[in-house]
Amino acid sequence: MKTRTLLLVWSVVSLAIPALGEDGYRFWLRYDPVPDQALREEYRRQCREMVVLGRSEVLDAARDELLRGLKGMLGQAPPSVPKASRDGVIVIAGSQEGREITDLGVLGTDGYLIQSRRIGGKAATVIVGRTDRGALYGAFRLLRLLQTRESLERLNINDEPAIALRMADQWDNPRGDVERGYAGASIFHWDHLPALDERYTDYARMLASVGINGIVLNNVNTAKNGLTGWKLITAPYLPKTAALAGVFRRYGIRVYLSVNFASPMLIGGLKTADPLEPAVQEWWKNRAREIYSYIPDFGGVLVKADSEGEPGPFTYKRSPTDGANMLAAAFEPLGGLVVWRAFVYGKDRNPDRIMQPYEIFQPLDGHFASNVAVQVKNGPLDFQVREPVSPLFGAMPKTNQVLELQVTQEYTGQATHVVYLVPEWKEVLSFDTFARGRTSTVEAVVSGRLFGNRHCGIAGVMNIGSDRNWTGQLLAQANTYGYGRLAWNPDLSAEAISREWVEMTFGTNPRVVATISGILLKSWKTYEQYTSPLGLGVLCDKEHFGPDLVHRQKQHHADAEGVGYDRTLETGSGFVAQYRSPWKEIYDSLSTCPEELLLWFHHVPYRYRLQSGKTLIQYIYDSHFEGVEEVRGFQAEWRKLRGLIDPERYNQVTEVLQGQLAAAIKWRDAINQYFFQISGIPDAKGRITVSEK
Ligand code: GCV
C-alpha cells in the first residue's frame, strides 16, 4: 500500500477507536477525535485555517493549543496563514490587534469575545482578548465548545472572570513531598531545575484552561520540622524559580512564593526579624529587588505567620499589620502583592479556637497596606466537610480579602473517597454576609465588588501530584476543574460544571454524563452522612484519615446526655456574636439553626427531636447507615458504565469505590459504636450491638 493510502486508512481508523492506554494523564484536555462524522466535517469546514494577529508568547501558547486540540479532534490542524483566504478561518487576536477588529465594549481584564463574523469577506470565528491572556482563555473556550460538541454557528460569546486573582496554592515542599497531598510526590523537581520537565507545561495548560492566573509554588509551612521552603528566595534557587516562571508565564500565570517571616535571620544572619527594625526592612527590600531581578513579573509572597510553628510578628509583640505592611513596603515598588493568611490561632487565646482569627484580624481592618490581601479559609476552623462560613468575610470592608478553599481532600476523604466539592464551594460563595444589606455574598466580597477593593481573590490548595493521573483518585480531577471554573464564574451551577467536566473527560454519551454527574453531585452529602453529619465537626484521627472520636472530644463535646459545641451567647462560647444579624440570631437559637450546622453551634440532648420528628441520636445512626448505602449505590451506578468508557479508567474508579465502601463502613461503625456506648440509647432498628472491644 502506498504511504498516502496507509495514512488515509490510519486516519479513518484512528478516528473510530478510543485512544489506548488511558491513564488520566490528559485530564480534561484530551482532544480525542470527534466520533460523529457529520459533525466532524462541519467543524472542519469551520476550522480550515488560522490567523494570529499580534505577537507574544501567550498568543503563541493560544495558537499551539488550538492547533493541538483541532488536530486531535478533527484529525487535521488548520494551516496558519497571515490573512484570511477562505471561509472557515479562526482569527485569534491579542489586546492591541483585537481592538481593530471589534469593539471590546466594557469587557473586563482577562475577558474575551468569540464571534462568528466576516473578516475580509470570509466567514470567520474571531477570538479577541482584552489582554493576550484573555485571548488564551478564549482559545480554550473554543476548544471546549468542540469538546462538548456545541455548535460553532452564530457565536457571540462575551466572557470575563468575576474574580481578579485566581490562585493555585501548592503545598509542595522543595524536598519533594506535598503536605496534605494524596497524589504522589511534588511535580516540582528542585534538584533538577532549572532543567524543565514536560509536566510543568501540562500543568500550566491545565491551570490556564480554567482561567487560573497565579500559582504559589511552595507550601505555606516553610521551616518547621526541617522544611526548606524558606530557601526558595535565595540565590541558588532563584534561577530555578525563574525557569518555572517562564513556563507559567507563557500561560498567563504569575508565580508567587511562600516565604518565612524569619528569613532575615534564617538567610540574612540578622539577630531579629522584628518588622519595625530598619535593618529588617532594608533586608526585605533588597531581597525583593533580587527576586525581581530574576523574575520581573513575580506575583508576590504568601505568608503563614504566627501559626502552627511558623514565625511571625507576635514574637516581637508586633501585629499582623506591622508584619504585612513591612513586607508590602518592600514589594510595592516592584508590583508585588503580600498575601497574609488569617489562619492564626494559639493556646494562650480564646479557648474556642475558631473565634481567634476574627478577634485578631477584624480590629485591624483599615490598617493593611493597599498591596496586602488577607487570605481567609472558607470556614472558621479548617476545611471540615461542613463548617459555617468564616465570619471574617464581609467584616473587613477596608481590606483586600482572598477566599482560601481546599481542593486537596485533607478532611474530605483524601484519595480514598469520591467527594465532589463544588456544591460546598457554591454554598460558601453564595453565603450572604449581610455586610451591606442583602446580597453581600462572599463572592461579592472576594470579587472586590462589594467594597471596591482591588486585590481580592480566591485561592485553592491544589490536589495534584506526580501520580500519572494527577490527582491520585481520577474523579478528583473534577475538583481541580471545578475550582477553576468557579473562580472564573461563581454563578455556574455545580451541575453545569460537572457536566462540562464529564463531557470533556469521558465523552458526551448522555448515559455516561448522567451517571458520573449523578455520583459526583451526591458525593459531598454522602461523605458528610457517613462521617460528620449535623455539623459534628472534626472526628478524624491525628493524621486526618480514619475516625477517632475519643481524641476529638474537645471538638464534638459528646457526653452521656448529648453532643455538640455550645457556641451560643448565653451558655456557650459566644462565637455566634461574630456574625451579623440575622445570622447571629439564626445560629444562636436551637429552633432556627440550620440542621446541617446544629452541633456546630449547640450542645443538643440525644433525645431532642429534629424537624423530621426523628431523635438526634437516631438521626446520627441512620445517617451513617444511609451514607454507606449511598456508596453501594455509587458502585451500582458505576458498573453501568462498563463498556461505555475505556476499561483502564473504568477499573481505576471501580477500585476507588471499593476502597471508599470499606472506609465508609469503618467510619459508620466507629461513630455509631461511640454514640451507642456514650449515650446508652439503642438504635431503633437494632443494627448496632456492643462491640467486643
Ligand atoms: C499547611 C491544617 C493542615 C496543615 C496546614 C494548615 C494550614 O492545620 O492540617 O497541614 O499546613 O492547616 O492551612 O496552614
Side-chain angles (χ1 to χ4, degrees):
M1 228 186 291
K2 291 223 174 78
T3 321
R4 267 184 60 189
T5 326
L6 254 178
L7 280 175
L8 192 71
V9 169
W10 170 243
S11 72
V12 171
V13 171
S14 67
L15 283 169
I17 53 169
L20 300 172
E22 295 290 3
D23 54 15
Y25 182 80
R26 292 182 296 153
F27 49 102
W28 52 88
L29 298 181
R30 295 164 52 75
Y31 305 142
D32 277 345
V34 174
D36 175 336
Q37 196 182 340
L39 184 62
R40 195 170 65 240
E41 285 308 323
E42 186 185 324
Y43 284 153
R44 278 183 175 171
R45 280 194 297 277
Q46 290 156 324
C47 306
R48 280 195 177 129
E49 58 183 31
M50 182 166 358
V51 175
V52 182
L53 299 177
R55 212 47 247 274
S56 74
E57 53 181 344
V58 176
L59 284 177
D60 286 350
R63 179 205 56 214
D64 291 353
E65 193 70 29
L66 279 171
L67 292 176
R68 173 188 196 134
L70 294 176
K71 178 152 195 263
M73 288 188 280
L74 309 182
Q76 63 191 34
S80 290
V81 292
K83 203 163 145 241
S85 72
R86 52 185 174 159
D87 285 344
V89 60
I90 297 173
V91 179
I92 178 152
S95 44
Q96 296 305 321
E97 296 71 15
R99 266 174 234 143
E100 288 157 26
I101 305 181
T102 190
D103 178 13
L104 293 179
V106 291
L107 189 70
T109 319
D110 289 354
Y112 61 83
L113 306 177
I114 304 183
Q115 294 172 341
S116 304
R117 45 180 299 171
R118 298 195 83 77
I119 296 277
K122 310 291 176 213
T125 303
V126 175
I127 306 170
V128 182
R130 164 70 71 195
T131 56
D132 289 358
R133 188 155 61 189
L136 173 67
Y137 297 149
F140 278 114
R141 175 66 176 273
L142 185 75
L143 289 167
R144 190 163 78 230
L145 290 175
L146 276 88
Q147 288 176 282
T148 54
R149 314 293 184 245
E150 298 278 337
S151 164
L152 301 189
E153 293 289 331
R154 288 184 285 282
L155 293 177
N156 189 9
I157 298 172
N158 178 337
D159 200 8
E160 64 189 31
I163 299 176
L165 199 65
R166 303 176 299 281
M167 303 288 299
D169 284 9
Q170 304 293 140
W171 281 1
D172 296 42
N173 298 314
R175 68 183 176 198
D177 59 328
V178 182
E179 182 154 347
R180 311 304 177 186
Y182 311 100
S186 170
I187 65 164
F188 301 119
H189 304 291
W190 290 93
D191 287 350
H192 298 158
L193 281 162
L196 295 174
D197 185 314
E198 192 188 2
R199 205 163 176 137
Y200 304 153
T201 302
D202 286 331
Y203 190 39
R205 292 175 52 237
M206 181 194 293
L207 294 177
S209 73
V210 287
I212 298 296
N213 62 2
I215 182 168
V216 184
L217 294 175
N218 62 314
N219 187 3
V220 289
N221 288 325
T222 55
K224 76 171 185 191
N225 302 332
L227 292 179
T228 53
W230 57 274
K231 289 188 183 169
L232 295 190
I233 55 169
T234 61
Y237 282 90
L238 285 172
K240 296 170 187 268
T241 305
L244 283 176
V247 175
F248 286 106
R249 181 180 301 118
R250 195 161 183 267
Y251 289 89
I253 300 166
R254 285 175 87 178
V255 155
Y256 297 65
L257 289 174
S258 292
V259 295
N260 189 289
F261 193 76
S263 296
M265 300 161 78
L266 287 171
I267 301 168
L270 268 58
K271 291 215 162 48
T272 178
D274 182 347
L276 301 194
E277 173 65 42
V280 170
Q281 297 167 356
E282 205 43 41
W283 188 88
W284 277 111
K285 282 185 181 148
N286 289 333
R287 188 58 44 164
R289 280 194 286 267
E290 190 176 354
I291 297 172
Y292 277 84
S293 72
Y294 286 91
I295 310 152
D297 58 349
F298 183 67
V301 292
L302 174 64
V303 194
K304 171 171 175 175
D306 294 309
S307 170
E308 299 185 334
E310 292 293 307
F314 288 164
T315 314
Y316 311 98
K317 305 220 174 336
R318 311 292 187 205
S319 69
T321 31
D322 293 329
N325 293 348
M326 179 272 295
L327 288 174
F331 284 91
E332 194 276 333
L334 301 153
L337 194 64
V338 174
V339 184
W340 192 272
R341 293 177 87 228
F343 184 66
V344 180
Y345 62 97
K347 286 209 171 73
D348 48 349
R349 295 176 181 271
N350 194 322
D352 188 2
R353 168 188 146 179
I354 67 169
M355 296 177 72
Q356 297 181 21
Y358 185 99
E359 288 168 346
I360 296 167
F361 283 88
Q362 197 285 328
L364 302 176
D365 185 38
H367 299 281
F368 284 101
S370 61
N371 64 323
V372 173
V374 173
Q375 182 159 307
V376 183
K377 290 190 184 188
N378 62 278
L381 186 62
D382 197 6
F383 301 132
Q384 299 310 299
V385 65
R386 174 76 66 174
E387 291 192 33
V389 166
S390 167
L392 269 173
F393 291 108
M396 301 184 70
K398 298 186 194 125
T399 306
N400 296 307
Q401 283 192 326
V402 174
L403 164 66
E404 182 175 310
L405 299 172
Q406 200 180 43
V407 187
T408 191
Q409 294 172 238
E410 174 181 359
Y411 292 98
T412 46
Q414 304 86 34
T416 311
H417 303 243
V418 173
V419 181
Y420 175 57
L421 291 166
V422 171
E424 184 204 347
W425 301 333
K426 291 267 322 161
E427 287 190 10
V428 173
L429 284 156
S430 61
F431 177 80
D432 200 337
T433 67
F434 290 98
R436 276 206 178 152
R438 278 175 190 277
T439 64
S440 303
T441 58
V442 171
E443 188 268 316
V445 174
V446 301
S447 65
R449 206 171 65 232
L450 191 65
F451 302 121
N453 292 321
R454 186 158 157 241
H455 294 297
C456 290
I458 184 163
V461 178
M462 298 311 282
N463 61 345
I464 68 103
S466 58
D467 278 2
R468 187 70 194 153
N469 70 6
W470 296 92
T471 50
Q473 186 268 99
L474 188 72
L475 299 190
Q477 286 184 6
N479 287 331
T480 328
Y481 182 80
Y483 164 67
R485 295 291 288 129
L486 265 194
W488 180 278
N489 181 1
D491 288 338
L492 287 172
S493 69
E495 291 82 357
I497 294 175
S498 72
R499 191 182 339 109
E500 273 178 19
W501 178 76
V502 178
E503 289 188 346
M504 293 166 81
T505 309
F506 287 100
T508 52
N509 178 335
R511 277 170 64 198
V512 172
V513 177
T515 305
I516 303 181
S517 289
I519 293 173
L520 291 177
L521 289 165
K522 277 193 200 158
S523 59
W524 172 47
K525 292 259 160 75
T526 298
Y527 185 78
E528 181 179 29
Q529 277 179 301
Y530 65 73
T531 58
S532 184
L534 300 169
L536 260 166
V538 197
L539 302 181
C540 60
D541 59 29
K542 282 193 181 141
E543 296 309 316
H544 303 175
F545 287 101
D548 182 353
L549 281 82
V550 175
H551 161 69
R552 297 293 186 181
Q553 204 281 338
K554 287 208 172 88
Q555 304 272 353
H556 55 70
H557 289 193
D559 55 31
E561 308 306 320
V563 56
Y565 201 137
D566 185 351
R567 293 184 160 116
T568 61
L569 288 170
E570 256 183 41
T571 53
S573 71
F575 169 63
V576 293
Q578 292 186 349
Y579 290 89
R580 288 173 196 268
S581 296
W583 288 120
K584 182 170 32 181
E585 294 77 17
I586 291 174
Y587 289 147
D588 197 44
S589 154
L590 186 59
S591 61
T592 56
C593 183
E595 283 191 345
E596 69 272 15
L597 286 169
L598 200 67
L599 305 178
W600 190 277
F601 288 105
H602 297 271
H603 189 76
V604 184
Y606 293 119
R607 295 185 194 277
Y608 174 82
R609 294 216 175 258
L610 297 170
Q611 277 152 26
S612 62
K614 212 178 250 190
T615 61
L616 174 75
I617 190 74
Q618 193 58 41
Y619 184 96
I620 292 176
Y621 295 152
D622 288 350
S623 168
H624 287 86
F625 281 103
E626 284 159 15
V628 168
E629 290 320 302
E630 288 286 348
V631 179
R632 287 194 219 279
F634 294 169
Q635 289 182 304
E637 285 295 296
W638 188 260
R639 279 195 288 271
K640 292 186 192 157
L641 296 176
R642 191 198 290 268
L644 295 181
I645 63 171
D646 52 279
E648 290 89 346
R649 292 185 300 164
Y650 175 83
N651 289 338
Q652 270 196 39
V653 178
T654 301
E655 262 179 44
V656 170
L657 290 174
Q658 257 161 19
Q660 178 166 2
L661 180 66
I665 291 172
K666 194 169 153 202
W667 274 93
R668 176 194 72 190
D669 292 348
I671 292 172
N672 281 349
Q673 266 302 323
Y674 178 87
F675 281 107
F676 178 41
Q677 298 202 2
I678 199 166
S679 70
I681 303 173
D683 166 32
K685 298 175 190 162
R687 295 161 295 188
I688 308 169
T689 49
V690 182
S691 104
E692 309 222 323
K693 279 193 275 166

